[in-house]
Amino acid sequence: MDKEKKESVSIKMVSATATAIESPVFKVTNNKNYIHYGEENNYPSILLEMMNQSSLHSAILKKKADMTASQGFESEDVDKKGFVSNINGTETLDQIAYKNAYDLALYGGYCFLATWSKDKKTIARIQYMDWSKVRKVKELDDESEMANRQAEGVEFFMISSDWTQERKEKYKPEIIQGFSTEYNDATTQLVYVPMYSPGSEDTYPLPDYQACSTWIAVDTEIASYHLNSCKNGFLPSMMINLIGVPSDEETKQFERKLQEKYSGSSNASRVIITVSEDETQVPIITPIEPNSSDQRYKDLKDQVKEEIVTGHRASNVAVGIAVAGKLGGSSEVIEAEAMFQHNVINGYQNLIEKPYTRIMNLNGIEGDLELKNSITFDLDEVEEEEGVVKELNTTSSEVDDITTDEVSTDDETLKAQAGLRGSVGGVTGILDIQNSVKAGTTDFRSAITILVEIYGFTPEVASALLGKVEEEPIQQN
């Protein structure tokens, strides 16, 4: 009898498979006319999912897009304003360029549709095209007109609104020619602008953050770990062993009821009640000591932040991450953003400006079409302002001596100061200044000068922000 019981007992162990993050594979197959964008032709979807699941990665991508094109194009004359208005399109070029900037930051490239006028001499309309919907046509080796044009450097592409359902008639890919002034018989053509990455000339570009994609996945897993811990009431914290061997259906039903009753953060600290006919049927409940995974995830979080920020060629200050032990003053924020503008954003803007300038010139409008910079201070101005602050700090100790006449009030400076006051980094800097004055590490006079000179507050408003600290002696450590 005992032997029969032992043989009827089965224990199942299940382990989760590890997720591997690999570089995409761009391949050509005989039964497809396009180059696969990833192993399953879905790499853009993977990049989009990464953005939606990592808060830090998503915030940096948005900052890149905002700094690149949120201010729109410079259009000081009538002809440029008319071109930017894109009167025959549903969106202005400012709106399209912002979407292009987001695609460039996320995918490593962008594209848009250009429609020729009836006389084929100018571009009559520009439309946004989602980069993720486009695939490159592979090189043909037949005698077709497409193959002949490919040999002369003209590219062709295929567009589908849903590549996962490309076999359905509704989503069947359509061929479109790349932009060409020589072969402009096709009314609408695709302007395709990839970011250069080594080895990607004949395939697809890799985003400039590709090297830190594994760390982005780690960031997502850490968030998932904490979410599941909350959902499960930070369990398993105990093991329940039922007396007897219930059927599979009974086991599933018991597990389901237990999960419904006791899992989730809202069910924390509830009492588990069991009912048994006698002592021999009392379930055995064994507490499980929590492991150290939670602490390991906390320790890993700082490294994840550093790797993701580095992968984007940014700095903690530039992307709005507070740095322990640093005041986070406005000059530091401005300098960090200026460096980010120089190292990253200028290149993004250049990639967007050139194709639009080419089309504008084709339409008979001379000059360059340039995107406005979201940073109006340069590094020399920051250093000069820091020197002014130091100089003012060595003069009078009275707040009333600082007048608005001492502050530069040109339109560009006022606009930059207003933007700084409304930014996350700017607000953080103000709070740090307040705390620093209260702690006695920054004197009241210096704090007033910073708020007036860098943030553009009046002396009265700056004094109100700091309270009446000036009436109290500053404690020296």
Side-chain angles (χ1 to χ4, degrees):
M1 185 67 178
D2 291 340
K3 184 177 181 181
E4 291 178 359
K5 283 186 178 181
K6 288 182 180 179
E7 290 177 351
S8 65
V9 176
S10 62
I11 299 176
K12 296 180 179 179
M13 301 294 290
V14 180
S15 62
T17 57
T19 302
I21 304 297
E22 299 179 354
S23 296
V25 176
F26 306 136
K27 63 181 181 180
V28 175
T29 57
N30 294 330
N31 62 335
K32 299 293 183 182
N33 290 327
Y34 59 85
I35 302 173
H36 280 239
Y37 204 158
E39 184 70 33
E40 303 295 330
N41 192 36
N42 65 341
Y43 195 61
S45 299
I46 294 175
L47 295 177
L48 183 62
E49 185 178 3
M50 287 169 59
M51 180 189 74
N52 291 332
Q53 291 183 345
S54 169
S55 58
L56 177 58
H57 177 51
S58 177
I60 296 176
L61 289 174
K62 188 175 189 310
K63 185 172 185 67
K64 284 182 174 180
D66 288 346
M67 291 185 68
T68 300
S70 64
Q71 303 296 318
F73 287 105
E74 297 276 4
S75 52
E76 64 278 2
D77 58 56
V78 176
D79 290 338
K80 284 186 178 180
K81 285 182 180 179
F83 179 71
V84 172
S85 67
N86 193 31
I87 191 170
N88 294 320
T90 58
E91 297 177 298
T92 67
L93 297 193
D94 288 340
Q95 293 171 308
I96 296 174
Y98 181 74
K99 293 180 179 180
N100 291 156
Y102 230 130
D103 285 352
L104 182 61
L106 175 59
Y107 302 117
Y110 72 93
C111 52
F112 59 84
L113 298 171
T115 302
W116 288 92
S117 59
K118 291 183 178 180
D119 60 7
K120 299 300 178 70
K121 292 182 178 180
T122 60
I123 298 300
R125 181 177 67 235
I126 292 176
Q127 298 169 273
Y128 167 75
M129 171 52 64
D130 187 342
W131 174 274
S132 67
K133 311 300 183 187
V134 179
R135 300 293 184 269
K136 296 185 71 172
V137 172
K138 66 183 181 181
E139 288 193 18
L140 305 178
D141 56 2
D142 52 29
E143 300 298 326
S144 64
E145 179 64 21
M146 185 186 300
N148 293 334
R149 292 190 182 186
Q150 283 181 328
E152 295 186 25
V154 179
E155 292 186 300
F156 287 85
F157 305 89
M158 301 184 78
I159 298 175
S160 172
S161 57
D162 188 350
W163 282 97
T164 62
Q165 304 184 67
E166 61 173 301
R167 293 184 178 180
K168 294 183 179 179
E169 187 64 28
K170 180 179 179 181
Y171 305 105
K172 185 178 179 180
E174 297 181 359
I175 295 179
I176 186 170
Q177 180 187 298
F179 186 74
S180 171
T181 55
E182 182 179 356
Y183 298 103
N184 61 356
D185 48 319
T187 303
T188 299
Q189 299 177 338
L190 184 72
V191 179
Y192 185 86
V193 188
M195 179 185 293
Y196 173 76
S197 56
S200 67
E201 294 93 333
D202 300 323
T203 54
Y204 302 98
L206 295 175
D208 56 1
Y209 60 84
Q210 177 68 34
C212 72
S213 59
T214 299
W215 291 101
I216 296 171
V218 172
D219 186 42
T220 300
E221 292 300 320
I222 291 175
S224 178
Y225 168 81
H226 289 299
L227 175 62
N228 286 318
S229 292
C230 291
K231 282 185 174 181
N232 295 324
F234 296 95
L235 295 177
S237 59
M238 63 182 67
M239 180 174 65
I240 300 177
N241 183 31
L242 301 177
I243 306 300
V245 183
S247 65
D248 289 345
E249 182 60 32
E250 289 174 333
T251 301
K252 291 179 181 179
Q253 185 178 6
F254 176 78
E255 181 181 1
R256 183 171 62 253
K257 288 184 177 181
L258 192 66
Q259 291 281 358
E260 291 174 354
K261 193 73 174 177
Y262 297 105
S263 68
S265 56
S266 60
N267 293 322
S269 301
R270 280 195 175 189
V271 177
I272 298 178
I273 300 175
T274 65
V275 179
S276 306
E277 292 183 357
D278 56 58
E279 294 180 355
T280 61
Q281 297 181 2
V282 175
I284 301 173
I285 301 177
T286 306
I288 298 177
E289 293 296 327
N291 58 30
S292 59
S293 295
D294 186 59
Q295 185 58 45
R296 289 203 300 269
Y297 277 123
K298 288 180 180 178
D299 296 339
L300 186 60
K301 189 69 176 176
D302 290 336
Q303 185 178 0
V304 167
K305 287 181 180 180
E306 182 180 345
E307 295 291 346
I308 293 177
V309 170
T310 301
H312 280 281
R313 297 180 292 158
S315 66
N316 288 336
V317 177
V319 298
I321 298 177
V323 180
K326 289 191 176 182
L327 181 62
S330 57
S331 61
E332 184 181 0
V333 173
I334 294 172
E335 183 174 356
E337 290 201 341
M339 290 295 294
F340 191 50
Q341 174 78 39
H342 180 270
N343 294 337
V344 179
I345 304 304
N346 284 349
Y348 277 42
Q349 290 181 324
N350 188 49
L351 272 175
I352 294 177
E353 291 165 351
K354 284 187 175 181
Y356 281 101
T357 295
R358 181 187 178 192
I359 292 178
M360 184 182 72
N361 296 158
L362 182 65
N363 282 10
I365 304 172
E366 297 181 353
D368 296 327
L369 194 60
E370 298 180 347
L371 288 163
K372 298 175 184 177
N373 285 344
S374 61
I375 299 296
T376 55
F377 286 96
D378 60 29
L379 294 180
D380 292 335
E381 288 174 333
V382 171
E383 292 173 357
E384 181 180 348
E385 286 169 358
E386 289 177 340
V388 171
V389 171
K390 290 179 180 178
E391 182 180 349
L392 288 172
N393 285 345
T394 60
T395 60
S396 172
S397 61
E398 296 296 326
V399 174
D400 292 340
D401 289 344
I402 304 176
T403 65
T404 54
D405 293 335
E406 295 176 82
V407 184
S408 182
T409 56
D410 58 276
D411 291 340
E412 204 171 69
T413 299
L414 291 174
K415 185 177 179 181
Q417 289 172 334
L420 178 61
R421 292 196 298 270
S423 68
V424 175
V427 173
T428 301
I430 293 171
L431 294 175
D432 288 338
I433 291 171
Q434 291 174 325
N435 293 332
S436 180
V437 172
K438 289 179 181 179
T441 55
T442 300
D443 65 81
F444 187 77
R445 165 75 182 186
S446 298
I448 288 289
T449 302
I450 293 173
L451 292 175
V452 171
E453 182 66 22
I454 305 301
Y455 286 87
F457 292 114
T458 64
E460 293 78 15
V461 173
S463 179
L465 285 172
L466 298 177
K468 295 184 178 181
V469 183
E470 72 274 21
E471 298 177 357
E472 303 173 3
I474 297 177
Q475 300 295 327
Q476 299 292 336
N477 294 330

